[in-house]
Amino acid sequence: MTATATTDPSPRADLGITDALVVDDTGAVRSVDIYVRDGSVVSISDAGRGRVSARKVVHAAGGLTLPGFVNSHSHSYGPLCRHEGKNLPLEPWMMYGWATTVGRTREEVRLTAQLQAVEALLTGTTSMLDHLAGAIEDQEAALDAYEEIGIRALVAPMIADIRLPETVGAAPSLWPASSRAEDPALDQRSARDLIDATVALYDGWTSPSGRTGVMFGPSAPQRCSDEMMREIADISRSRGIRVHTHLLETRVQAGITPPKGFGSWLELLDDQGLLSARLSAAHGVWVSPGGIELAAGRAATFVHNPQSNLQLGSGVADLTEWRRQGLSVALGTDGVNCGGSMDMVSSMRFATVLHRPSRHDPSTWETPLSALRLATAGAAALGFGRGRLEVGEPADFSIFPTDTPAYASGEDPLATLVLSAWDHSARTVVVAGRVVVDDGRLTTIDETALLASAREARAKLLARNSHLAELARAQEPFLTELTRAAKANRPIMPFTGV
Ligand SMILES: [Zn+2]
């Protein structure tokens, strides 16, 4: 069992972890003691070599101790609308998602951020990117929540200056009258307004802990005007602000012609100045091999969200080709309203096994170890270290208990977690050297009270936005047909000999 105790009154370290099972670059495991000071790992040594000397000691008892997962694509509005628009593809589904996002109160922004962070921490995620829709002026509530709960997070206000119905590749005139989105709630603010509000949030937010921050979050290339994207690229370049966007997620999106005669959306992004190491792009399911090459050459990061891509029927990203071309890749869940949950172990499992049937050569397959590296690779793109449990790195790690039935035979514990364990709960989670999950419970928030408030908040939100849900229902047949008719620009899953 993990337990905490106070020991040496004149501590050398703030935190000591004893008998932690860690995984090296070859996948081999060994038992170590870990020491943390001022938020960083200062020592990793063979277990039991030295006397435990720290202000706080956690006995890992052979628990699998991994660098904290970095969820590189999520939306914290998800927890109050987990199954709105269920069993639909993205285009009709997102109208339901929109209907439960518009007009949320500051309190609701705070509550959903808390719910998302709790779910992330309890399953071993220590950092996340929150691509957050809704009024930018209220998003400090999410940042406040992340500060209080102890997770690392960047908030990327999701902005677009093209009205939603005009971003699905069908002219507004083609929409049946009953499904036209005339509701003023769907009107977009101007690009100037949205960029200014994002910059104001970026400039106005001072993280008390240094764990939270703000970045640009243009919703997707087809949802933002050329002028808007160029302005974001200019500010990003001059001020070093990171950018996150969705990218070619569905067949419908792949069929939308990029403007101004560009051959592909990737060429347009490059011309706009967005394709750089500051950019991370979620999905990329329908990016061509040429687009992958362009993104890899510019050191941009693609974020793989396999469960979301399956749940919405969007397609299967060609992760093996991304790897072959040397693209920087991170892992995410997407919102819990389309990606299952904030559990990154589930994303790791999908990333490991999903692509195997398309490759004859098992040496190209993802493994539990490569999936672990994917699950922490986003740290670099977010400025949260290297995503490794090493001396000198931020003390962000999680301990998964191995005294449960799945681990009983003592075989490869990482493979057990990624491929065969059914409980993905971390017993201890440390962020920036602080124990935020202790014996499976949050130390920073009253979890029971928080969960108790979710039902009532959801009911209120749905009642307030019921007219938008009605609109989504009216749009569903048209958007479903649009999706059904969309052609794939490549096989859903290529079969190759490599
Ligand atoms: Zn998303």
Side-chain angles (χ1 to χ4, degrees), residues 73-75 77 90 93 131 158 244 246 249 282-283 305 308 334-335 338:
H73 183 64
S74 71
H75 303 284
Y77 50 77
L90 179 101
W93 169 90
H131 202 188
M158 188 152 70
H244 185 69
H246 293 103
E249 181 174 356
H283 306 302
N305 301 277
S308 162
D334 213 343
C338 63

Side-chain angles (χ1 to χ4, degrees), residues 159-445:
I159 57 176
D161 64 340
I162 300 177
R163 297 180 85 240
L164 203 54
E166 284 148 40
T167 65
V168 293
S173 59
L174 295 177
W175 288 61
S178 63
S179 64
R180 280 192 204 145
E182 306 296 353
D183 195 288
L186 294 177
D187 280 339
Q188 302 290 357
R189 292 163 64 180
S190 73
R192 180 75 276 146
D193 219 14
L194 292 164
I195 290 171
D196 286 350
T198 304
V199 172
L201 183 67
Y202 179 88
D203 285 337
W205 177 250
T206 306
S207 167
S209 67
R211 283 184 285 99
T212 60
V214 178
M215 61 194 292
F216 277 117
S219 179
Q222 76 280 6
R223 297 176 197 144
C224 300
S225 67
D226 188 45
E227 300 72 41
M228 184 185 198
M229 292 299 243
R230 288 180 193 277
E231 174 78 5
I232 289 172
D234 284 349
I235 301 172
S236 164
R237 190 185 310 110
S238 63
R239 304 205 46 194
I241 303 177
R242 293 177 172 82
V243 183
H244 185 69
T245 189
H246 293 103
L247 179 63
L248 293 175
E249 181 174 356
T250 66
R251 294 192 309 281
V252 169
Q253 292 174 17
I256 302 173
T257 311
K260 290 191 175 178
F262 284 95
S264 73
W265 288 98
L266 271 292
E267 282 175 31
L268 177 66
L269 282 175
D270 194 35
D271 192 71
Q272 289 166 334
L274 279 165
L275 220 48
S276 77
R278 288 183 304 280
L279 180 76
S280 65
H283 306 302
V285 171
W286 296 100
V287 177
S288 68
I292 297 166
E293 190 181 354
L294 192 54
R298 296 282 189 263
T301 296
F302 277 14
V303 184
H304 187 35
N305 301 277
Q307 182 158 352
S308 162
N309 296 156
L310 291 172
Q311 194 162 317
L312 295 169
S314 300
V316 177
D318 197 352
L319 177 62
T320 318
E321 179 63 14
W322 294 2
R323 299 286 219 178
R324 198 186 65 77
Q325 294 216 26
L327 182 68
S328 164
V329 186
L331 195 64
T333 57
D334 213 343
V336 297
N337 52 335
C338 63
S341 73
M342 292 296 289
D343 169 26
M344 285 284 282
V345 176
S346 288
S347 282
M348 290 158 72
R349 184 172 297 175
F350 277 110
T352 306
V353 301
L354 174 60
H355 309 278
R356 291 182 175 186
S358 74
R359 303 287 159 168
H360 300 175
D361 178 359
S363 71
T364 66
W365 290 3
E366 297 294 333
T367 65
L369 182 62
S370 72
L372 172 64
R373 296 294 179 239
L374 268 185
T376 65
L382 300 184
F384 293 147
R386 293 176 58 242
R388 295 297 189 102
L389 179 46
E390 291 173 358
V391 172
E393 283 294 298
D396 295 358
F397 51 85
S398 303
I399 304 173
F400 294 87
T402 51
D403 54 358
T404 60
Y407 298 86
S409 63
E411 289 172 72
D412 189 339
L414 180 62
T416 301
L417 179 69
V418 175
L419 295 176
S420 70
W422 67 88
D423 183 352
H424 302 165
S425 305
R427 191 167 282 168
T428 304
V429 178
V430 175
V431 183
R434 179 186 187 197
V435 177
V436 289
V437 174
D438 191 10
D439 208 11
R441 303 285 298 174
L442 268 295
T443 63
T444 50
I445 196 169

Side-chain angles (χ1 to χ4, degrees), residues 20-89:
L21 211 55
V22 296
V23 183
D24 72 15
D25 276 339
T26 67
V29 294
R30 67 179 180 122
S31 184
V32 301
D33 296 332
I34 301 166
Y35 291 94
V36 170
R37 192 187 305 126
D38 298 330
S40 297
V41 175
V42 292
S43 161
I44 299 176
S45 54
D46 286 344
R49 282 242 175 116
R51 171 169 158 265
V52 174
S53 177
R55 271 191 288 171
K56 184 181 180 76
V57 176
V58 173
H59 300 294
L64 180 62
T65 305
L66 302 176
F69 306 139
V70 181
N71 188 338
S72 297
H73 183 64
S74 71
H75 303 284
S76 72
Y77 50 77
L80 289 186
C81 54
R82 278 186 112 93
H83 298 290
E84 297 301 315
K86 57 188 135 195
N87 306 317
L88 289 169

Side-chain angles (χ1 to χ4, degrees), residues 93-113:
W93 169 90
M94 73 180 176
M95 297 303 178
Y96 288 96
W98 187 252
T100 43
T101 306
V102 170
R104 292 186 312 147
T105 65
R106 208 175 160 85
E107 266 318 298
E108 288 163 351
V109 171
R110 178 180 174 77
L111 173 64
T112 48

